[in-house]
Protein backbone atom coordinates (compact mmCIF):
# COMPACT_ATOMS: atom_id res chain seq x y z
CA UNK A 1 0.00 0.00 0.00
CA UNK A 2 1.35 3.43 -0.90
CA UNK A 3 2.04 5.72 2.10
CA UNK A 4 -0.71 8.13 1.02
CA UNK A 5 -3.28 5.36 0.83
CA UNK A 6 -2.36 3.98 4.22
CA UNK A 7 -2.60 7.52 5.64
CA UNK A 8 -6.12 7.80 4.32
CA UNK A 9 -6.97 4.40 5.74
CA UNK A 10 -5.66 5.37 9.18
CA UNK A 11 -7.78 8.53 9.05
CA UNK A 12 -10.85 6.51 8.15
CA UNK A 13 -10.24 3.97 10.89
CA UNK A 14 -9.67 6.72 13.46
CA UNK A 15 -12.76 8.58 12.26
CA UNK A 16 -14.79 5.38 12.52
CA UNK A 17 -13.51 4.75 16.04
CA UNK A 18 -14.27 8.31 17.08
CA UNK A 19 -17.73 8.08 15.66
CA UNK A 20 -18.39 4.94 17.61
CA UNK A 21 -17.04 6.51 20.77
CA UNK A 22 -19.15 9.62 20.82
CA UNK A 23 -22.30 8.01 19.46
CA UNK A 24 -22.24 4.55 20.89
CA UNK A 25 -25.27 5.20 23.02
CA UNK A 26 -27.14 6.12 19.85
CA UNK A 27 -27.20 2.58 18.57
CA UNK A 28 -30.47 1.96 20.38
CA UNK A 29 -32.19 4.43 18.03
CA UNK A 30 -34.15 2.65 15.32
CA UNK A 31 -34.48 3.66 11.69
CA UNK A 32 -36.91 6.51 11.02
CA UNK A 33 -40.50 5.37 10.80
CA UNK A 34 -42.70 6.22 7.85
CA UNK A 35 -44.12 9.70 8.38
CA UNK A 36 -47.74 9.83 9.45
CA UNK A 37 -49.84 11.43 6.75
CA UNK A 38 -52.00 13.68 8.83
CA UNK A 39 -52.16 16.79 6.71
CA UNK A 40 -55.44 18.05 8.13
CA UNK A 41 -54.12 21.59 8.43
CA UNK A 42 -52.38 23.41 5.64
CA UNK A 43 -48.72 23.45 6.55
CA UNK A 44 -45.98 25.04 4.53
CA UNK A 45 -43.75 22.03 5.15
CA UNK A 46 -44.31 18.31 5.44
CA UNK A 47 -44.39 16.63 8.83
CA UNK A 48 -40.97 15.94 10.31
CA UNK A 49 -39.46 12.49 9.88
CA UNK A 50 -38.52 11.20 13.34
CA UNK A 51 -37.23 7.89 14.65
CA UNK A 52 -39.71 5.62 16.50
CA UNK A 53 -37.41 5.61 19.52
CA UNK A 54 -35.96 9.08 20.09
CA UNK A 55 -32.24 9.67 19.63
CA UNK A 56 -30.08 9.81 22.71
CA UNK A 57 -29.57 13.43 23.74
CA UNK A 58 -29.84 13.08 27.51
CA UNK A 59 -26.98 10.72 28.05
CA UNK A 60 -24.32 11.76 25.55
CA UNK A 61 -20.89 10.27 26.14
CA UNK A 62 -18.01 12.75 26.07
CA UNK A 63 -14.30 11.84 26.09
CA UNK A 64 -12.56 12.34 29.44
CA UNK A 65 -10.83 15.64 28.59
CA UNK A 66 -14.27 17.15 27.81
CA UNK A 67 -16.36 15.34 30.43
CA UNK A 68 -13.97 16.39 33.19
CA UNK A 69 -14.58 20.14 32.69
CA UNK A 70 -18.33 19.98 32.14
CA UNK A 71 -19.53 20.01 35.77
CA UNK A 72 -17.64 23.23 36.49
CA UNK A 73 -18.96 25.14 33.47
CA UNK A 74 -22.33 23.60 32.62
CA UNK A 75 -25.12 26.20 32.41
CA UNK A 76 -27.95 23.63 32.29
CA UNK A 77 -30.50 24.72 34.94
CA UNK A 78 -31.90 22.10 37.33
CA UNK A 79 -35.35 23.06 36.02
CA UNK A 80 -34.52 22.13 32.42
CA UNK A 81 -32.33 19.04 32.06
CA UNK A 82 -31.93 17.61 28.55
CA UNK A 83 -34.43 14.81 27.88
CA UNK A 84 -34.60 12.77 24.68
CA UNK A 85 -38.19 13.80 23.93
CA UNK A 86 -37.59 17.41 24.92
CA UNK A 87 -34.58 17.76 22.63
CA UNK A 88 -36.47 15.97 19.84
CA UNK A 89 -39.19 18.61 20.06
CA UNK A 90 -36.44 21.23 20.16
CA UNK A 91 -34.93 19.81 16.97
CA UNK A 92 -38.27 20.08 15.17
CA UNK A 93 -38.79 23.65 16.39
CA UNK A 94 -35.22 24.59 15.40
CA UNK A 95 -35.77 23.56 11.78
CA UNK A 96 -39.41 24.64 11.45
CA UNK A 97 -39.96 27.66 9.20
CA UNK A 98 -43.44 28.02 10.71
CA UNK A 99 -41.75 29.74 13.63
CA UNK A 100 -41.42 32.82 11.43
CA UNK A 101 -44.21 35.13 10.35
CA UNK A 102 -43.65 34.45 6.64
CA UNK A 103 -43.03 30.69 7.06
CA UNK A 104 -39.71 31.18 5.27
CA UNK A 105 -37.12 31.38 8.03
CA UNK A 106 -36.15 28.85 10.71
CA UNK A 107 -33.41 29.02 13.34
CA UNK A 108 -31.32 26.94 10.94
CA UNK A 109 -31.57 29.62 8.24
CA UNK A 110 -29.04 31.64 10.23
CA UNK A 111 -27.51 28.72 12.15
CA UNK A 112 -26.84 26.30 9.30
CA UNK A 113 -25.57 22.86 10.38
CA UNK A 114 -23.38 22.65 7.26
CA UNK A 115 -21.61 25.78 8.49
CA UNK A 116 -21.33 24.48 12.05
CA UNK A 117 -24.61 26.20 12.94
CA UNK A 118 -23.42 29.62 11.78
CA UNK A 119 -24.02 31.76 8.69
CA UNK A 120 -21.60 32.66 5.89
CA UNK A 121 -23.37 36.00 5.37
CA UNK A 122 -21.83 38.96 7.20
CA UNK A 123 -25.33 39.88 8.39
CA UNK A 124 -28.12 37.30 8.16
CA UNK A 125 -31.36 37.74 6.22
CA UNK A 126 -34.59 37.76 8.24
CA UNK A 127 -38.19 36.81 7.43
CA UNK A 128 -38.96 39.98 5.47
CA UNK A 129 -35.59 40.37 3.78
CA UNK A 130 -34.06 42.67 6.41
CA UNK A 131 -30.56 42.16 7.75
CA UNK A 132 -29.57 41.42 11.35
CA UNK A 133 -27.56 44.02 13.28
CA UNK A 134 -24.71 41.64 13.97
CA UNK A 135 -23.10 38.56 12.49
CA UNK A 136 -24.72 35.22 13.41
CA UNK A 137 -22.98 33.16 16.11
CA UNK A 138 -22.05 29.49 15.75
CA UNK A 139 -24.33 27.43 18.04
CA UNK A 140 -21.78 24.93 19.34
CA UNK A 141 -20.91 23.90 22.87
CA UNK A 142 -23.17 26.64 24.22
CA UNK A 143 -23.71 24.49 27.29
CA UNK A 144 -20.07 25.03 28.32
CA UNK A 145 -20.43 28.82 28.79
CA UNK A 146 -20.48 29.03 32.54
CA UNK A 147 -22.33 32.32 33.05
CA UNK A 148 -25.00 31.14 30.60
CA UNK A 149 -25.26 34.67 29.14
CA UNK A 150 -26.07 34.73 25.45
CA UNK A 151 -25.49 37.02 22.41
CA UNK A 152 -22.33 38.90 21.49
CA UNK A 153 -23.30 41.53 24.08
CA UNK A 154 -24.57 38.97 26.63
CA UNK A 155 -27.93 40.74 26.84
CA UNK A 156 -29.80 37.47 27.49
CA UNK A 157 -29.15 36.10 30.96
CA UNK A 158 -29.89 32.49 30.09
CA UNK A 159 -30.30 30.30 27.04
CA UNK A 160 -33.96 29.77 28.00
CA UNK A 161 -34.43 33.55 27.75
CA UNK A 162 -32.37 33.83 24.56
CA UNK A 163 -34.17 31.28 22.37
CA UNK A 164 -37.48 33.17 22.44
CA UNK A 165 -35.87 36.40 21.27
CA UNK A 166 -35.16 35.61 17.60
CA UNK A 167 -38.77 34.46 17.25
CA UNK A 168 -40.00 37.87 18.42
CA UNK A 169 -37.27 39.91 16.74
CA UNK A 170 -38.84 42.19 14.15
CA UNK A 171 -36.05 41.51 11.64
CA UNK A 172 -35.41 37.82 12.30
CA UNK A 173 -38.72 35.93 12.62
CA UNK A 174 -41.35 38.59 13.31
CA UNK A 175 -43.78 36.68 15.53
CA UNK A 176 -45.38 37.42 18.88
CA UNK A 177 -45.46 34.67 21.49
CA UNK A 178 -49.28 34.88 21.46
CA UNK A 179 -49.31 34.24 17.69
CA UNK A 180 -46.88 31.39 18.11
CA UNK A 181 -48.96 29.74 20.84
CA UNK A 182 -51.91 29.81 18.48
CA UNK A 183 -50.05 28.74 15.35
CA UNK A 184 -48.12 25.71 16.57
CA UNK A 185 -51.02 23.67 18.04
CA UNK A 186 -52.71 23.88 14.63
CA UNK A 187 -49.78 22.08 12.98
CA UNK A 188 -50.56 18.37 12.96
CA UNK A 189 -47.28 17.13 14.40
CA UNK A 190 -46.92 19.37 17.44
CA UNK A 191 -49.56 18.17 19.95
CA UNK A 192 -48.02 14.69 20.14
CA UNK A 193 -44.47 16.06 20.34
CA UNK A 194 -45.41 18.40 23.22
CA UNK A 195 -47.19 15.56 24.97
CA UNK A 196 -44.15 13.29 24.74
CA UNK A 197 -41.82 16.05 25.91
CA UNK A 198 -43.92 17.58 28.68
CA UNK A 199 -46.76 15.21 29.51
CA UNK A 200 -49.65 17.16 27.96
CA UNK A 201 -50.40 18.55 24.50
CA UNK A 202 -50.43 22.14 25.72
CA UNK A 203 -48.20 24.49 23.70
CA UNK A 204 -46.76 27.32 25.80
CA UNK A 205 -43.93 29.77 25.24
CA UNK A 206 -42.20 28.34 28.31
CA UNK A 207 -42.25 24.83 26.85
CA UNK A 208 -41.02 26.10 23.46
CA UNK A 209 -38.16 27.84 25.25
CA UNK A 210 -37.27 24.76 27.26
CA UNK A 211 -37.34 22.39 24.28
CA UNK A 212 -35.27 24.69 22.05
CA UNK A 213 -32.74 25.14 24.86
CA UNK A 214 -32.44 21.40 25.35
CA UNK A 215 -31.72 20.87 21.67
CA UNK A 216 -29.21 23.73 21.50
CA UNK A 217 -27.40 22.49 24.64
CA UNK A 218 -27.09 19.02 23.17
CA UNK A 219 -24.94 20.22 20.25
CA UNK A 220 -21.46 19.42 21.53
CA UNK A 221 -18.47 18.83 19.25
CA UNK A 222 -15.81 16.45 20.54
CA UNK A 223 -14.66 14.48 17.49
CA UNK A 224 -11.98 16.73 16.01
CA UNK A 225 -8.31 15.92 15.46
CA UNK A 226 -7.64 17.89 18.65
CA UNK A 227 -9.86 15.44 20.56
CA UNK A 228 -8.14 12.46 18.98
CA UNK A 229 -4.77 13.82 20.05
CA UNK A 230 -6.02 14.35 23.62
CA UNK A 231 -7.21 10.75 23.66
CA UNK A 232 -3.94 9.44 22.26
CA UNK A 233 -5.41 8.16 18.99
CA UNK A 234 -3.68 10.73 16.74
CA UNK A 235 -0.63 12.99 16.88
CA UNK A 236 -0.16 16.64 15.98
CA UNK A 237 2.16 17.66 13.14
CA UNK A 238 5.09 19.84 14.23
CA UNK A 239 3.26 23.01 13.19
CA UNK A 240 0.09 21.98 15.00
CA UNK A 241 2.00 21.19 18.18
CA UNK A 242 3.97 24.46 18.06
CA UNK A 243 0.69 26.25 17.37
CA UNK A 244 -0.87 24.74 20.48
CA UNK A 245 2.09 25.91 22.55
CA UNK A 246 1.71 29.42 21.15
CA UNK A 247 -2.03 29.34 21.84
CA UNK A 248 -1.46 28.35 25.46
CA UNK A 249 1.50 30.60 26.23
CA UNK A 250 1.83 33.50 23.79
CA UNK A 251 0.47 36.94 24.58
CA UNK A 252 0.31 38.56 21.17
CA UNK A 253 0.22 42.36 21.03
CA UNK A 254 0.58 42.54 24.79
CA UNK A 255 -2.85 40.97 25.46
CA UNK A 256 -3.37 37.85 27.56
CA UNK A 257 -2.78 34.43 26.05
CA UNK A 258 -5.23 33.11 23.47
CA UNK A 259 -6.18 30.39 25.97
CA UNK A 260 -6.87 32.95 28.69
CA UNK A 261 -9.89 34.13 26.74
CA UNK A 262 -10.62 30.96 24.74
CA UNK A 263 -10.07 28.20 27.32
CA UNK A 264 -9.55 24.60 26.22
CA UNK A 265 -11.04 22.09 25.80
CA UNK A 266 -14.08 23.91 24.36
CA UNK A 267 -12.11 27.09 23.61
CA UNK A 268 -14.68 29.11 25.42
CA UNK A 269 -14.68 31.06 28.65
CA UNK A 270 -17.17 33.34 30.28
CA UNK A 271 -14.49 34.88 32.42
CA UNK A 272 -11.88 36.27 30.04
CA UNK A 273 -8.68 37.58 31.55
CA UNK A 274 -8.78 40.93 29.87
CA UNK A 275 -10.85 43.37 27.83
CA UNK A 276 -10.81 43.05 24.10
CA UNK A 277 -12.28 45.35 21.50
CA UNK A 278 -12.16 45.15 17.77
CA UNK A 279 -12.25 48.77 16.66
CA UNK A 280 -15.96 49.27 16.02
CA UNK A 281 -17.40 52.69 16.84
CA UNK A 282 -20.89 51.51 15.86
CA UNK A 283 -21.21 48.79 18.46
CA UNK A 284 -20.25 49.07 22.11
CA UNK A 285 -21.11 45.51 23.11
CA UNK A 286 -21.43 44.27 26.70
CA UNK A 287 -22.66 47.06 29.01
CA UNK A 288 -21.35 49.59 26.46
CA UNK A 289 -17.82 48.65 27.52
CA UNK A 290 -16.59 47.84 24.02
CA UNK A 291 -16.39 44.20 25.06
CA UNK A 292 -17.90 41.15 23.41
CA UNK A 293 -18.50 37.52 24.07
CA UNK A 294 -16.75 35.00 21.85
CA UNK A 295 -18.38 31.70 20.93
CA UNK A 296 -16.51 28.41 21.07
CA UNK A 297 -13.53 28.40 18.68
CA UNK A 298 -14.27 24.78 17.83
CA UNK A 299 -15.08 24.29 14.13
CA UNK A 300 -13.74 27.80 13.55
CA UNK A 301 -12.60 26.69 10.07
CA UNK A 302 -16.29 26.39 9.07
CA UNK A 303 -17.69 29.59 10.53
CA UNK A 304 -16.23 32.51 8.52
CA UNK A 305 -16.62 35.43 8.52
CA UNK A 306 -15.59 36.25 12.08
CA UNK A 307 -16.22 38.64 14.98
CA UNK A 308 -19.43 40.34 16.07
CA UNK A 309 -19.68 42.41 12.90
CA UNK A 310 -18.43 39.71 10.53
CA UNK A 311 -15.68 42.09 9.45
CA UNK A 312 -12.84 39.54 9.45
CA UNK A 313 -13.12 37.38 6.34
CA UNK A 314 -10.59 34.67 7.18
CA UNK A 315 -8.37 33.34 9.96
CA UNK A 316 -5.34 34.38 7.91
CA UNK A 317 -6.66 37.95 7.86
CA UNK A 318 -7.20 37.82 11.60
CA UNK A 319 -3.70 36.60 12.42
CA UNK A 320 -2.06 39.12 10.07
CA UNK A 321 -4.48 41.99 10.52
CA UNK A 322 -3.28 44.19 13.38
CA UNK A 323 -6.25 43.26 15.54
CA UNK A 324 -5.64 43.73 19.27
CA UNK A 325 -4.75 40.41 20.96
CA UNK A 326 -5.37 38.52 17.70
CA UNK A 327 -2.56 39.32 15.31
CA UNK A 328 0.78 37.60 15.60
CA UNK A 329 4.19 37.86 13.91
CA UNK A 330 4.71 36.28 10.50
CA UNK A 331 6.80 33.46 12.03
CA UNK A 332 3.85 32.30 14.17
CA UNK A 333 0.90 32.61 11.78
CA UNK A 334 1.15 29.29 10.02
CA UNK A 335 1.59 27.42 13.30
CA UNK A 336 -1.38 29.03 15.01
CA UNK A 337 -3.50 28.48 11.93
CA UNK A 338 -2.48 24.81 11.77
CA UNK A 339 -3.51 24.39 15.41
CA UNK A 340 -6.85 26.23 14.97
CA UNK A 341 -7.69 23.93 12.06
CA UNK A 342 -7.38 20.85 14.31
CA UNK A 343 -10.44 22.03 16.27
CA UNK A 344 -12.85 21.18 13.46
CA UNK A 345 -15.22 18.26 14.02
CA UNK A 346 -17.10 17.47 10.83
CA UNK A 347 -18.68 14.32 12.26
CA UNK A 348 -20.98 15.72 14.94
CA UNK A 349 -22.47 18.42 12.73
CA UNK A 350 -23.59 15.73 10.27
CA UNK A 351 -25.18 13.45 12.88
CA UNK A 352 -28.80 12.72 12.10
CA UNK A 353 -29.98 13.72 15.55
CA UNK A 354 -28.85 17.30 14.84
CA UNK A 355 -30.08 17.37 11.23
CA UNK A 356 -33.16 18.83 9.58
CA UNK A 357 -36.10 16.43 10.17
CA UNK A 358 -38.22 18.13 7.46
CA UNK A 359 -36.75 16.24 4.52
C1 LIG B 1 -32.33 35.94 10.85
C2 LIG B 1 -31.20 35.25 11.45
C3 LIG B 1 -31.39 34.48 12.73
C4 LIG B 1 -32.40 33.62 13.08
C5 LIG B 1 -33.65 33.27 12.29
C6 LIG B 1 -32.05 33.08 14.36
N1 LIG B 1 -30.83 33.58 14.78
FE1 LIG B 1 -29.83 33.07 16.46
N2 LIG B 1 -28.51 34.58 16.13
C7 LIG B 1 -28.50 35.38 15.03
C8 LIG B 1 -27.59 36.49 15.24
C9 LIG B 1 -27.30 37.61 14.26
C10 LIG B 1 -27.05 36.32 16.54
C11 LIG B 1 -26.13 37.29 17.28
C12 LIG B 1 -27.01 38.50 17.66
C13 LIG B 1 -26.42 39.42 18.69
O1 LIG B 1 -25.50 39.03 19.40
O2 LIG B 1 -26.89 40.57 18.78
C14 LIG B 1 -27.65 35.08 17.06
C15 LIG B 1 -27.33 34.53 18.31
C16 LIG B 1 -27.88 33.34 18.79
C17 LIG B 1 -27.48 32.67 20.01
C18 LIG B 1 -26.42 33.12 20.99
C19 LIG B 1 -25.21 32.22 21.00
C20 LIG B 1 -24.17 32.61 22.01
O3 LIG B 1 -23.18 31.88 22.11
O4 LIG B 1 -24.32 33.63 22.72
C21 LIG B 1 -28.26 31.54 20.12
C22 LIG B 1 -28.21 30.49 21.22
C23 LIG B 1 -29.17 31.53 18.99
N3 LIG B 1 -28.90 32.63 18.20
C24 LIG B 1 -30.15 30.59 18.79
C25 LIG B 1 -31.18 30.76 17.87
C26 LIG B 1 -32.41 29.98 17.87
C27 LIG B 1 -32.75 28.87 18.85
C28 LIG B 1 -33.18 30.45 16.83
C29 LIG B 1 -34.58 30.04 16.44
C30 LIG B 1 -35.62 30.20 17.45
C31 LIG B 1 -32.40 31.50 16.19
N4 LIG B 1 -31.22 31.67 16.86
C32 LIG B 1 -32.82 32.18 15.06
C33 LIG B 1 -29.24 35.21 13.89
C34 LIG B 1 -30.41 34.46 13.83
C1 LIG C 1 -8.45 39.40 25.92
C2 LIG C 1 -9.23 38.27 25.44
C3 LIG C 1 -8.82 37.60 24.13
C4 LIG C 1 -7.57 37.17 23.73
C5 LIG C 1 -6.24 37.32 24.44
C6 LIG C 1 -7.78 36.50 22.46
N1 LIG C 1 -9.09 36.54 22.13
FE1 LIG C 1 -9.89 35.78 20.43
N2 LIG C 1 -11.66 36.74 20.83
C7 LIG C 1 -11.96 37.40 22.01
C8 LIG C 1 -13.26 38.03 21.88
C9 LIG C 1 -13.96 38.83 22.97
C10 LIG C 1 -13.73 37.74 20.57
C11 LIG C 1 -15.01 38.25 19.90
C12 LIG C 1 -14.78 39.74 19.68
C13 LIG C 1 -15.71 40.42 18.72
O1 LIG C 1 -16.52 39.80 18.05
O2 LIG C 1 -15.62 41.66 18.60
C14 LIG C 1 -12.69 36.92 19.95
C15 LIG C 1 -12.78 36.36 18.68
C16 LIG C 1 -11.91 35.41 18.18
C17 LIG C 1 -12.12 34.66 16.97
C18 LIG C 1 -13.36 34.77 16.08
C19 LIG C 1 -14.51 34.02 16.74
C20 LIG C 1 -15.78 34.07 15.94
O3 LIG C 1 -16.62 33.18 16.13
O4 LIG C 1 -16.00 35.01 15.17
C21 LIG C 1 -11.02 33.84 16.82
C22 LIG C 1 -10.82 32.83 15.70
C23 LIG C 1 -10.13 34.09 17.91
N3 LIG C 1 -10.69 35.05 18.74
C24 LIG C 1 -8.90 33.48 18.10
C25 LIG C 1 -7.94 33.96 18.98
C26 LIG C 1 -6.51 33.62 18.94
C27 LIG C 1 -5.88 32.64 17.97
C28 LIG C 1 -5.91 34.33 19.95
C29 LIG C 1 -4.44 34.39 20.30
C30 LIG C 1 -3.58 34.81 19.18
C31 LIG C 1 -6.97 35.09 20.62
N4 LIG C 1 -8.16 34.84 20.01
C32 LIG C 1 -6.75 35.93 21.71
C33 LIG C 1 -11.14 37.48 23.12
C34 LIG C 1 -9.77 37.21 23.10
Amino acid sequence: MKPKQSGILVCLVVAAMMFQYCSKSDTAAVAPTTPTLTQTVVTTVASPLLPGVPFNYSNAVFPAHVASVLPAVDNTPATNPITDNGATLGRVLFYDKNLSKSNTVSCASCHNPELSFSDSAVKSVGFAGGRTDRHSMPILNVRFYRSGKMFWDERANTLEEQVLQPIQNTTEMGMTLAELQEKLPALSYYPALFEKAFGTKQVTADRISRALSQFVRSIVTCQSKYDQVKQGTATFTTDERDGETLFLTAGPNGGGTCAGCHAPPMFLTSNPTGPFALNDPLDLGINNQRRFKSSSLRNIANTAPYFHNGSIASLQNMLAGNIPAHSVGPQDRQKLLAFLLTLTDNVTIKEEKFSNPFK
Side-chain angles (χ1 to χ4, degrees):
M1 201 184 281
K2 290 184 205 135
K4 198 177 165 193
Q5 282 179 326
S6 67
I8 291 169
L9 189 66
V10 169
C11 285
L12 286 174
V13 170
V14 169
M17 281 163 49
M18 288 300 301
F19 186 72
Q20 223 190 353
Y21 188 77
C22 257
S23 330
K24 66 178 167 220
S25 35
D26 283 348
T27 46
V30 298
T33 51
T34 327
T36 39
L37 296 170
T38 48
Q39 301 294 345
T40 45
V41 266
V42 181
T43 60
T44 55
V45 283
S47 292
L49 203 63
L50 296 168
V53 175
F55 289 116
N56 170 32
Y57 297 96
S58 57
N59 209 2
V61 181
F62 305 129
H65 65 282
V66 172
S68 59
V69 303
L70 183 60
V73 296
D74 193 357
N75 58 40
T76 307
T79 47
N80 195 27
I82 299 174
T83 65
D84 297 342
N85 285 317
T88 297
L89 170 60
R91 175 184 170 210
V92 174
L93 291 165
F94 190 86
Y95 285 98
D96 197 340
K97 294 182 175 170
N98 289 302
L99 264 64
S100 64
K101 183 142 200 146
S102 56
N103 300 330
T104 54
V105 167
S106 71
C107 307
S109 306
C110 306
H111 303 287
N112 179 348
E114 285 168 29
L115 302 169
S116 297
F117 296 93
S118 73
D119 192 353
S120 55
V122 170
K123 305 281 165 78
S124 303
V125 181
F127 77 100
R131 296 273 173 176
T132 53
D133 294 336
R134 296 192 176 113
H135 178 55
S136 173
M137 301 174 85
I139 308 289
L140 294 179
N141 313 316
V142 163
R143 180 178 178 184
F144 289 72
Y145 198 65
R146 187 176 49 192
S147 76
K149 294 188 177 173
M150 295 291 139
F151 289 124
W152 289 109
D153 59 6
E154 299 195 329
R155 67 186 180 280
N157 282 319
T158 63
L159 182 59
E160 277 72 10
E161 191 183 313
Q162 189 282 334
V163 293
L164 293 178
Q165 296 195 18
I167 300 171
Q168 302 171 83
N169 185 291
T170 52
T171 304
E172 296 182 1
M173 299 172 106
M175 298 279 286
T176 65
L177 295 181
E179 283 167 346
L180 190 71
Q181 290 175 141
E182 223 170 274
K183 190 174 179 184
L184 295 194
L187 294 164
S188 60
Y189 41 90
Y190 277 120
L193 288 171
F194 276 85
E195 184 164 32
K196 275 190 192 156
F198 297 113
T200 66
K201 294 184 165 67
Q202 203 190 2
V203 174
T204 66
D206 178 60
R207 287 176 167 188
I208 293 167
S209 147
R210 286 167 60 192
L212 274 169
S213 299
Q214 288 182 37
F215 177 69
V216 167
R217 274 200 192 92
S218 69
I219 309 173
V220 174
T221 57
C222 56
Q223 302 186 65
S224 64
K225 178 166 185 188
Y226 174 84
D227 298 297
Q228 293 166 23
V229 171
K230 296 299 151 188
Q231 292 170 96
T233 57
T235 41
F236 279 144
T237 64
T238 310
D239 270 0
E240 289 165 357
R241 192 201 56 214
D242 292 352
E244 183 186 39
T245 305
L246 285 166
F247 192 92
L248 296 173
T249 59
N253 292 4
T257 62
C258 308
C261 297
H262 305 285
M266 300 325 255
F267 300 86
L268 185 65
T269 175
S270 59
N271 193 14
T273 53
F276 163 73
L278 182 72
N279 186 23
D280 182 355
L282 299 175
D283 195 339
L284 300 176
I286 302 170
N287 297 328
N288 291 333
Q289 293 168 329
R290 299 172 62 87
R291 281 196 310 126
F292 293 90
K293 168 181 182 175
S294 170
S295 345
S296 172
L297 296 191
R298 280 171 167 270
N299 286 38
I300 199 76
N302 293 343
T303 65
Y306 305 105
F307 291 84
H308 68 274
N309 52 12
S311 61
I312 311 297
S314 70
L315 293 171
Q316 286 87 338
N317 287 5
M318 179 189 85
L319 294 170
N322 251 337
I323 303 163
H326 287 79
S327 302
V328 295
Q331 73 287 355
D332 292 338
R333 286 175 198 158
Q334 189 178 327
K335 294 170 186 165
L336 263 175
L337 182 62
F339 172 66
L340 290 172
L341 296 183
T342 69
L343 304 181
T344 302
D345 164 355
N346 279 319
V347 180
T348 303
I349 57 169
K350 293 198 187 104
E351 272 183 55
E352 198 185 337
K353 68 178 182 180
F354 301 125
S355 69
N356 186 353
F358 292 101
K359 58 180 185 193

